[in-house]
């Protein structure tokens, strides 16, 4: 397998943080990975981690980053973040077991999500992981565990579902009026959970969790979330809280061409930490502030490279067929074009006359499989490479096994590169252990 140092030209990646790639390097990678693959920028990941940590820690000392596994659970990426000090925020037993497999300290796993079996809960409690209960059925499992293990002291957190609307307008994604997650404050389910747990001698409610998926990701929403959790802690006299978990959903450093004027890490940190500092000023043991970044941690750490296979005209429209699919870069099929660079076989100066509008389309048989619409540039040629930016979040975890194997993933670390996922072959795709032939 190829791995190694890059030649001088490709080392520009290192110097230019806007990640100039050379055509030559892409051709080198093509030999091992075929005509499409992801590029994973380790330095960018470390930078994101340190920026988020610094923004919050400088304002509120006791700060924990719980990286949201579901956003991108490439094992190498999870391991790198664990090494930097991140906790693992997992929402299934599969993700929990991955965290264990990469060597995460079980005490630094935050187990969230609506579905946990009795066995999952027993395992996580025995491991002393942080666990946020989402529904009342989980309380029954905790109760059983506590009665069986009366010598143990158990800590659990609760995910609360409360109103974060402003002037009656809900900030939730896709216009949802209410969220379906957590224990409802308004109808008494949360109170019931607190009472059931308080009745057990060996349980402490150690955390409150409030994650909401909003489309705006505004600073104001995070103020509501944080203040809401603090108010609930007071109202229910939860004096042993060890953490306030405000969930994920902050913007990362979004390229201007995708969206302008998104809040910075400092903007979120200032708003959230100001409330935490105000609420817990008098406390000797301030609860930890937990943030669960997903998209903001990883979106800009991945690029996707796909070879141009053909260019053709249909009536008057120019199409460029790529060895990739919208499934690889935007599984939600949103309409925005991602930032993209074209690595050309020929010098662009010689092709200036070929500037026009074109669509980039993928290998699937879906009419809607457009990687980009109406791009204005010099039309690429066969064997050029298209490199799409900002594809680290909700891509490799959403890539369906549709028509083609999953592409490989190459990590770049300074001037080094090495595979962190090989390209899938038919024997893994239709694995003998899985399928009955
Ligand atoms: C999805 C999710 C996150 C991460 O959200 P992003 O928008 O990717 O930052 C964090 N916490 C929980 C509970 C989640 O479900």
């Amino acid at each position: 397998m190829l791995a190694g140092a890059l030649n001088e030209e490709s080392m520009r990646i290192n110097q230019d943080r806007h990640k100039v790639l050379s055509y030559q390097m892409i051709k080198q990678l093509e030999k091992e990975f075929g005509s499409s693959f992801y590029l994973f920028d380790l330095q960018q990941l470390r930078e994101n981690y340190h920026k988020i940590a610094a923004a919050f820690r400088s304002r509120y000392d006791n700060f924990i980053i719980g990286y949201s596994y579901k956003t991108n659970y490439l094992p190498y990426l999870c391991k790198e973040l664990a090494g930097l000090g991140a906790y693992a925020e997992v929402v299934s037993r599969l993700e929990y077991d991955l965290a264990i497999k990469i060597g995460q300290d079980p005490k630094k796993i935050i187990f969230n999500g609506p579905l946990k079996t009795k066995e999952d809960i027993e395992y996580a409690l025995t491991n002393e992981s942080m666990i946020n209960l989402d529904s009342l059925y989980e309380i029954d499992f905790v109760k059983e565990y506590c009665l069986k293990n009366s010598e143990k002291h158990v800590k659990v957190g609760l995910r609360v579902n409360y109103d974060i609307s402003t002037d009656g307008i809900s900030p939730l994604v896709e216009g949802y009026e209410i969220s379906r997650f957590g224990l409802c404050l308004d109808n008494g389910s949360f109170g019931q959970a607190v009472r059931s747990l308080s009745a057990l001698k060996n349980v402490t409610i150690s955390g409150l969790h409030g994650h909401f998926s909003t489309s705006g990701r505004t600073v104001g929403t995070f103020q509501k979330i944080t203040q809401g959790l603090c108010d609930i802690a007071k109202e229910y006299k939860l004096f042993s809280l060890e953490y306030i978990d405000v969930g994920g959903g902050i913007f990362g450093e979004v390229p201007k061409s995708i969206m302008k004027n998104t809040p910075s890490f400092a903007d979120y940190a200032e708003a959230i930490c100001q409330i935490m500092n105000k609420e817990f000023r008098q406390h000797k043991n301030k609860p930890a502030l937990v943030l669960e970044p997903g998209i903001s941690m990883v979106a800009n750490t991945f690029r996707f490279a796909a070879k141009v296979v053909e260019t053709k005209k249909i009536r008057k429209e120019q199409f460029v067929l790529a060895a990739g699919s919208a499934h690889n870069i935007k599984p939600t099929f949103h309409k925005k074009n991602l930032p993209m660079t074209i690595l050309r076989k020929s010098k662009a100066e010689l092709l200036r006359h070929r500037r026009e509008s074109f669509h980039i389309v993928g290998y699937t048989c879906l009419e809607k499989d457009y990687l980009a619409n109406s791009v204005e540039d010099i039309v690429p040629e066969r064997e050029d490479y298209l490199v799409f930016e900002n594809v680290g979040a909700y891509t490799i975890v959403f890539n369906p096994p549709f028509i083609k194997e999953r592409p490989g993933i190459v990590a770049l670390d300074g001037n080094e590169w090495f595979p962190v996922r090989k390209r899938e072959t038919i024997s893994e795709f239709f694995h003998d252990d899985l399928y009955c032939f």
Side-chain angles (χ1 to χ4, degrees):
M1 185 179 300
L2 293 172
L6 304 174
N7 58 37
E8 220 164 288
E9 193 188 349
S10 330
M11 274 176 63
R12 281 188 291 151
I13 301 167
N14 206 9
Q15 287 141 21
D16 182 346
R17 295 301 291 135
H18 288 280
K19 307 167 219 160
V20 183
L21 284 166
S22 68
Y23 184 76
Q24 205 186 338
M25 177 188 170
I26 286 282
K27 292 307 275 186
Q28 209 179 323
L29 293 172
E30 184 185 326
K31 288 191 196 123
E32 184 175 345
F33 294 95
S35 54
S36 74
F37 44 86
Y38 290 98
L39 297 158
F40 164 40
D41 185 342
L42 270 157
Q43 290 188 341
Q44 184 67 59
L45 182 72
R46 293 183 199 120
E47 190 179 312
N48 293 346
Y49 178 86
H50 291 304
K51 278 185 177 170
I52 297 172
F56 283 82
R57 209 156 278 152
S58 62
R59 294 171 169 91
Y60 192 85
D61 199 29
N62 193 0
F63 174 65
I64 291 169
I65 291 180
Y67 170 60
S68 158
Y69 265 38
K70 72 162 190 280
T71 312
N72 181 335
Y73 41 54
L74 177 71
Y76 197 94
L77 183 155
C78 295
K79 202 167 168 176
E80 181 70 23
L81 284 173
L84 292 170
Y87 286 40
E89 189 271 327
V90 304
V91 290
S92 69
R93 181 62 182 268
L94 176 89
E95 292 183 355
Y96 190 101
D97 288 345
L98 173 63
I100 297 289
K101 192 175 160 91
I102 61 135
Q104 181 86 33
D105 175 355
K107 294 196 174 91
K108 295 186 174 177
I109 300 177
I110 306 168
F111 196 175
N112 290 331
L115 189 88
K116 306 180 193 82
T117 67
K118 186 170 133 183
E119 203 215 339
D120 296 344
I121 287 186
E122 289 184 352
Y123 184 50
L125 290 176
T126 304
N127 280 339
E128 297 179 33
S129 300
M130 292 159 75
I131 172 164
N132 291 316
L133 309 174
D134 203 279
S135 300
L136 291 172
Y137 81 91
E138 297 172 54
I139 309 256
D140 295 338
F141 296 154
V142 172
K143 212 185 267 179
E144 269 183 65
Y145 181 87
C146 289
L147 296 175
K148 244 190 316 193
N149 300 277
S150 54
E151 78 294 348
K152 277 210 176 110
H153 196 90
V154 166
K155 293 173 185 174
V156 292
L158 297 174
R159 177 163 179 177
V160 203
N161 184 316
Y162 51 106
D163 185 16
I164 57 158
S165 63
T166 306
D167 302 327
I169 296 165
S170 160
L172 296 178
V173 281
E174 293 169 45
Y176 281 101
E177 283 293 317
I178 57 168
S179 162
R180 70 185 181 91
F181 298 106
L183 295 152
C184 181
L185 186 71
D186 288 350
N187 70 7
S189 303
F190 176 77
Q192 193 184 330
V194 172
R195 279 193 305 281
S196 320
L197 292 168
S198 305
L200 298 164
K201 278 194 204 67
N202 52 338
V203 178
T204 308
I205 298 172
S206 60
L208 290 180
H209 180 223
H211 171 79
F212 295 87
S213 300
T214 68
S215 36
R217 301 174 185 268
T218 67
V219 168
T221 292
F222 280 90
Q223 279 169 323
K224 284 232 151 158
I225 292 172
T226 314
Q227 190 64 59
L229 291 175
C230 293
D231 293 345
I232 294 162
K234 279 183 280 187
E235 191 185 332
Y236 287 82
K237 303 192 172 30
L238 302 173
F239 299 126
S240 323
L241 280 193
E242 291 176 7
Y243 64 91
I244 296 271
D245 184 339
V246 299
I250 66 168
F251 275 119
E253 293 181 332
V254 185
K256 295 260 182 309
S257 63
I258 300 181
M259 202 184 283
K260 288 193 185 68
N261 300 324
T262 53
S264 66
F265 296 141
D267 294 336
Y268 290 114
E270 186 60 35
I272 294 169
C273 298
Q274 199 231 332
I275 295 170
M276 291 296 287
N277 283 317
K278 170 182 67 122
E279 293 291 333
F280 298 105
R281 192 174 299 143
Q282 318 290 2
H283 291 231
K284 255 204 293 256
N285 298 317
K286 287 185 188 170
L289 168 66
V290 183
L291 183 75
E292 301 172 344
I295 205 166
S296 51
M297 185 69 83
V298 295
N300 64 358
T301 66
F302 268 53
R303 283 171 287 169
F304 179 69
K307 190 177 180 169
V308 172
V309 175
E310 180 63 300
T311 60
K312 67 176 175 184
K313 284 229 154 143
I314 305 281
R315 298 209 184 139
K316 289 200 169 94
E317 304 267 313
Q318 179 71 57
F319 289 89
V320 173
L321 173 65
S325 163
H327 282 128
N328 298 127
I329 61 167
K330 43 180 179 182
T332 57
F333 283 88
H334 62 76
K335 284 282 184 303
K336 283 210 156 154
N337 288 347
L338 294 165
M340 180 196 72
T341 41
I342 303 167
L343 295 177
R344 298 179 192 277
K345 204 170 84 173
S346 321
K347 285 206 167 17
E349 299 89 87
L350 305 174
L351 306 165
R352 212 167 287 153
H353 60 285
R354 298 199 54 207
R355 193 176 182 92
E356 58 180 296
S357 174
F358 57 90
H359 309 299
I360 302 169
V361 292
Y363 63 72
T364 70
C365 311
L366 301 175
E367 280 293 0
K368 67 172 180 180
D369 191 358
Y370 280 62
L371 290 87
N373 285 282
S374 308
V375 180
E376 300 282 339
D377 205 329
I378 296 163
V379 181
E381 299 181 296
R382 287 182 197 171
E383 299 203 20
D384 284 355
Y385 261 87
L386 308 169
V387 181
F388 298 89
E389 311 261 333
N390 226 58
V391 299
Y394 304 104
T395 46
I396 67 152
V397 293
F398 261 135
N399 205 166
F402 184 55
I403 299 188
K404 219 174 153 334
E405 311 89 313
R406 294 177 301 170
I409 305 174
V410 191
L412 306 175
D413 190 2
N415 56 357
E416 300 271 315
W417 62 266
F418 46 90
V420 285
R421 186 173 85 185
K422 297 170 201 167
R423 62 195 286 212
E424 201 171 36
T425 64
I426 184 166
S427 55
E428 286 116 22
F429 197 104
F430 294 110
H431 202 288
D432 287 338
D433 290 350
L434 197 59
Y435 292 91
C436 307
F437 285 91

